[in-house]
Amino acid sequence: MSTQAAPAPPAVVRHEAFGVGPVPPRTFVHVGADPVSVEFVEGLTEVQVDVAPGAVFEAGVPYERLLRLVRGAAIGGGTESPEGLRAYLLSTTEVTFSSFDNRLVVRSPQRGAVRFGTVALTVRAPAGGELVVRGDVVRLQVTGTAGAIRVKARRGDVSAASAHSVDLRLGQGRASLGTVHGAVVADLHGASLDVADLAGAAEVVSSRGTVALTLRSGGAVELALATDGAVDVSDLPPVLRTPSPEDGTQSPDRPAARRICVVSSTGDVRVSRRGTPEPAPGEPDLP
């Protein structure tokens, strides 16, 4: 049965807001295939969530009545029409905030194998907060400066402007990261990764996706690469390796090296350096 996604018409957005304390809250988002936009805003004293109608998956003409009957039986009365389904998705999206553990949770109602539509989620939170996003298909855009970002998805398209650390688990897709002030850990399978400014260590495992890391200038680096794909380190200055125990004790005048490790089956790997160092902001007080 072929289906197509019908874009949502303009509609009233469901809006939720919760006051927060001085510590940035942790944000957890669980989705099926819903697009997610997260904005980390300096000086914000609350967390805000907007839920807007997304796409409704409609069948071709021969199956239109069957699909409406199926989703009406699976979800409930009134959802046979696109308008009824959008109203259902808006009202059943879970948005909760717990002041006890300083945690915001947003759950899309369409997380199972059978999905009939999506919602568009927009979250605004104080800068420096932790973000965890999980789902089958994750389409995530992060602006502002986040604390730790963790994403786990079968397929994903992840974009983040700035974070203190990033942990990615992607089966397929791509991740594009701007500035990462700490470490990047990634298990990518077939996904690709591009980091424009990496100040910390990196541990990346990929089956066939392209991995491109641009290191912030300054500091010693221990580089370990293993792939059957192309490797490009042509513009990387001489790399200082951390001495092994057999080499003797490291000199106290020599700074500790950050480790950049990329293991890939067939993916291409590129490691380069930035020309101008960029200072990292203060570390967030995460719970």
Side-chain angles (χ1 to χ4, degrees):
M1 181 174 67
S2 63
T3 61
Q4 57 184 357
V12 176
V13 176
R14 175 183 166 193
H15 178 78
E16 306 280 352
F18 308 91
V20 298
V23 178
R26 306 167 68 193
T27 299
F28 293 80
V29 182
H30 303 261
V31 295
D34 312 272
V36 181
S37 174
V38 181
E39 305 171 16
F40 287 97
V41 182
E42 294 287 346
L44 193 65
T45 58
E46 62 181 9
V47 287
Q48 305 168 359
V49 180
D50 289 342
V51 186
V56 168
F57 302 136
E58 297 179 340
V61 174
Y63 301 100
E64 184 176 354
R65 178 174 173 78
L66 174 60
L67 179 62
R68 291 183 178 182
L69 291 175
V70 168
R71 72 189 184 204
I75 300 176
T79 60
E80 297 86 351
S81 68
E83 295 76 14
L85 179 57
R86 290 190 178 101
Y88 166 83
L89 295 174
L90 278 176
S91 63
T92 56
T93 298
E94 178 185 341
V95 180
T96 59
F97 177 73
S98 171
S99 57
F100 176 76
D101 54 5
N102 201 30
R103 183 170 69 168
L104 172 72
V105 177
V106 182
R107 295 181 186 272
S108 160
Q110 294 287 286
R111 300 190 307 276
V114 179
R115 290 189 293 269
F116 302 109
T118 64
V119 293
L121 302 172
T122 300
V123 179
R124 284 176 290 273
E130 180 182 356
L131 174 65
V132 179
V133 181
R134 296 176 180 173
D136 180 34
V137 180
V138 168
R139 292 175 287 167
L140 172 66
Q141 182 177 23
V142 182
T143 58
T145 300
I149 295 178
R150 299 201 302 272
V151 179
K152 183 177 181 180
R154 184 175 61 85
R155 287 188 292 142
D157 188 347
V158 178
S159 173
S162 178
H164 284 272
S165 64
V166 177
D167 187 328
L168 298 173
R169 312 292 178 188
L170 295 179
Q172 298 177 2
R174 67 183 183 90
S176 177
L177 308 178
T179 299
V180 182
H181 300 287
V184 169
V185 177
D187 187 349
L188 300 175
H189 295 281
S192 62
L193 171 66
D194 188 341
V195 184
D197 178 17
L198 176 61
E203 183 175 346
V204 181
V205 177
S206 172
S207 295
R208 58 186 182 276
T210 300
V211 178
L213 306 176
T214 302
L215 309 184
R216 185 175 299 178
S217 297
V221 176
E222 179 185 0
L223 191 64
L225 306 178
T227 179
D228 287 336
V231 176
D232 181 5
V233 292
S234 57
D235 62 346
L236 195 66
V239 175
L240 301 178
R241 296 183 58 85
T242 302
S244 64
E246 292 77 13
D247 297 332
T249 304
Q250 179 175 332
S251 168
D253 298 330
R254 185 175 181 179
R258 51 187 167 131
R259 179 173 172 81
I260 304 298
C261 177
V262 180
V263 178
S264 178
S265 297
T266 59
D268 297 342
V269 177
R270 177 177 61 81
V271 181
S272 58
R273 285 265 204 180
R274 284 195 63 187
T276 305
E278 181 176 309
E283 291 293 330
D285 186 10
L286 294 178

